[in-house]
Amino acid sequence: MKIITLDDLNEKIFQSKSFKPSRKYKNEADYLDILSQSKNYFLKSGSENEGFLESAIFSSNGFGDFFFKNFDIDWKLGEIEKNVNLSWQLHNFNFLRQSLKKVVLHQDSRKLKILIDILRGWFEEATREEKPMFAWNDHTAAFRLDFLINFIYVFDEQFHVDCKDKEFIFRLTELHFRFLLDENFYSKGTNHGLDQSFSLIKCLVYFPDCIFFIEQHNIVIGRINFELEKSFAADGAHVENSPEYHFTILSTYIKIKNYLCKYYPKYNDSSESYDIFINNALTFAACCILPNGLIAPIGDSEFKAPRIDFSHFSGYKNFEHLTYSLSKGHSGKDLGLYKAFLDSGYVFLFSSKTIIPDFKNRIHMIFKCGFLSYYHRQDDDNSLYVYGFGEEWLIDGGLYRHDHQNIQREYFRSALAHNVFMPWPQKTNRMYAPQPIPKILSLEADEITTKVVAQTSMYEGYIWTRTLRYNHGLYFTIDDYIRSTSNELGQADHYDLLFQIPSNKSVLINGKQNIKIISQISQLGINMDIISSSFFSIECLTKKDDPSINRSKIYNQLEDCTLIRIRLPWNKEATVETRLNYFNLN
């Protein structure tokens, strides 16, 4: 299919006779009602940008504030700052959504004209030969199309908008529709593809008399069905490896489900299967919230409270699990001693109420090993995150920022920033699922102990098996076994067993086999005994030893941490056991 060219904008695009809405918006409730299926897009960017048309200040996430005199936006700002995510934030138009909302609610024609001029300025830059890098990005285009659809509703009878302005917005909307419809720009089977499909189907619903849109009906419906099926594993966990993405995409998923059931009655027949899946996904979401109410900062997740509208989920049975986590144990239904999501490769382990009765002191472990998507993948198979007694103990490198050209970002994605066992310097296979597929091999549990066995082949030429045993109290052990499977690829210099420790802990190497991790904010510590038949050395490293050794639990921010490195000589096979237990300094 031919993508619309720039010259095509000089021709008539929409074949409908009229797109003038008949509805007037008298108050916020009325406005949000007409946008009920996409209102979160307007709200989630936060109030920090709602004054853009008053101040001309673009408040970015993680990069500070930028002033644009006379609303003359520098659409190449991110390239100048060498921060690609800054470009993404600018070109997805999220910072304009609150402005659009205010224009409608206040019936402000003057500011509506400013918004239209901003769109014309964007289009002028986006059609230059040296266009901004995110002008025609697969994801920014989806968000912009959603913005443009809602923008068209602004053209109510109460606004005296120039016909040329109306025609420009209509044409720009179809330009985005055609761009996203093209297979070359369809990010199939990813969160980008889900957002693309959602925006496309809104065009079918909001413009029912546009012949071109209706002609693409089967393609758009086929895409949305595929994306809904592929976004989550059978056990309810989002496929892209990070708790924060699970929350975000689950929120989008349920909006799409409600949208389809409203506008396509046949989808109501599938509501029962939707509900089963959503209930599983809500339990997974509950497991991702730590006792302090924040999302576990593993993978591409920030250490923050979930920022979604939970009212979407209140009618589902397993919302009581999420309520339990969000209320910090005051209401809802307890998650028990563990929850396993074997299709996606997650096991969540919790301390027993008998041993640790206070919810705030609850030990919360996350063990993961799986490969469902290369999108946002980090080399964290068999990694373990540990939170307990209101503190982090074993941590994850984090997100930092979405910039694959950034050396620090690539460090955080690598095995070096996780709690893993690795042959050095073997690289991991990140883009495609290695064989055998990384997964949880078995799970055994009784009233005292849960045992999890997982295996990964993410290091080319090696199979690494990790066994975690937890007594749901103060003790847990980690058994690692790695073996080379290839004479050509299996030769490494040595093995490294790595543990990432937060900056509010002191690390003491006590003899040849013992490490003590001591809290600087409480009277607690973790004792680690290292047992192996092979000779090994123990080191504690910080960014003074290697500038890359940091963590990032807040977007675009780095903080100190300590890397414990236990080094073993290379052999065809290697085993090491780590015994860990909490202790009180008193």
Side-chain angles (χ1 to χ4, degrees), residues 264-276:
Y264 293 86
K266 69 176 183 177
Y267 279 91
N268 286 297
D269 298 334
S270 304
S271 286
E272 185 175 348
S273 60
Y274 276 126
D275 292 350
I276 292 172

Side-chain angles (χ1 to χ4, degrees), residues 378-563:
Q378 296 196 10
D379 302 332
D380 57 359
D381 286 351
N382 280 344
S383 191
L384 176 67
Y385 174 90
V386 179
Y387 182 97
F389 299 98
E391 304 177 51
E392 293 180 294
W393 296 89
L394 299 183
I395 59 174
D396 183 271
L399 163 64
Y400 190 41
R401 65 190 190 212
H402 296 292
D403 184 354
H404 298 321
Q405 277 68 54
N406 183 276
I407 296 175
Q408 185 67 65
R409 164 63 174 168
E410 285 307 290
Y411 173 84
F412 286 142
R413 294 186 75 194
S414 74
L416 292 168
H418 300 94
N419 301 306
V420 298
F421 194 38
M422 63 179 297
W424 179 264
Q426 298 304 107
K427 293 184 177 180
T428 52
N429 188 337
R430 184 184 296 159
M431 290 299 294
Y432 301 98
Q435 294 297 326
I437 194 90
K439 64 180 180 179
I440 307 290
L441 295 179
S442 65
L443 186 147
E444 302 172 18
D446 55 34
E447 294 180 356
I448 299 175
T449 304
T450 297
K451 175 185 174 184
V452 185
V453 182
Q455 186 179 86
T456 182
S457 53
M458 68 176 180
Y459 307 116
E460 194 171 9
Y462 287 86
I463 300 290
W464 167 37
T465 304
R466 170 165 277 186
T467 302
L468 171 66
R469 293 180 180 86
Y470 179 43
N471 78 334
H472 300 285
L474 304 178
Y475 301 87
F476 57 103
T477 64
I478 302 169
D479 291 309
D480 290 305
Y481 167 62
I482 194 167
R483 63 182 176 87
S484 171
T485 59
S486 170
N487 291 329
E488 295 180 2
L489 297 172
Q491 179 71 50
D493 292 339
H494 53 262
Y495 295 110
D496 283 336
L497 175 61
L498 306 177
F499 292 105
Q500 318 289 328
I501 312 298
S503 59
N504 59 8
K505 305 290 182 293
S506 299
V507 179
L508 304 177
I509 300 174
N510 184 28
K512 295 181 178 180
Q513 295 181 269
N514 180 261
I515 305 166
K516 296 192 184 303
I517 304 168
I518 300 173
S519 173
Q520 297 173 8
I521 58 177
S522 70
Q523 294 297 307
L524 291 173
I526 284 184
N527 184 75
M528 299 177 66
D529 289 317
I530 312 299
I531 302 167
S532 177
S533 58
S534 301
F535 168 82
F536 60 88
S537 61
I538 303 175
E539 295 179 278
C540 289
L541 306 173
T542 67
K543 65 181 181 183
K544 294 179 180 178
D545 306 291
D546 181 341
S548 296
I549 298 176
N550 297 280
R551 74 172 302 196
S552 178
K553 61 183 182 183
I554 303 298
Y555 192 85
N556 199 39
Q557 293 183 25
L558 299 175
E559 67 176 58
D560 294 347
C561 68
T562 300
L563 173 64

Side-chain angles (χ1 to χ4, degrees), residues 114-130:
I114 293 175
L115 272 177
I116 294 174
D117 289 342
I118 289 173
L119 294 182
R120 287 190 178 277
W122 175 86
F123 180 71
E124 182 178 342
E125 289 298 312
T127 54
R128 293 183 187 276
E129 184 175 352
E130 296 295 326

Side-chain angles (χ1 to χ4, degrees), residues 53 99-100 103-104 107-118 151 154-156 159-161 165:
L53 294 185
S99 295
L100 175 58
V103 164
V104 176
Q107 305 299 306
D108 194 329
S109 297
R110 184 184 67 83
K111 288 180 180 176
L112 175 63
K113 180 62 176 175
I114 293 175
L115 272 177
I116 294 174
D117 289 342
I118 289 173
F151 199 113
V154 172
F155 299 142
D156 204 283
F159 284 114
H160 300 289
V161 180
D165 287 336

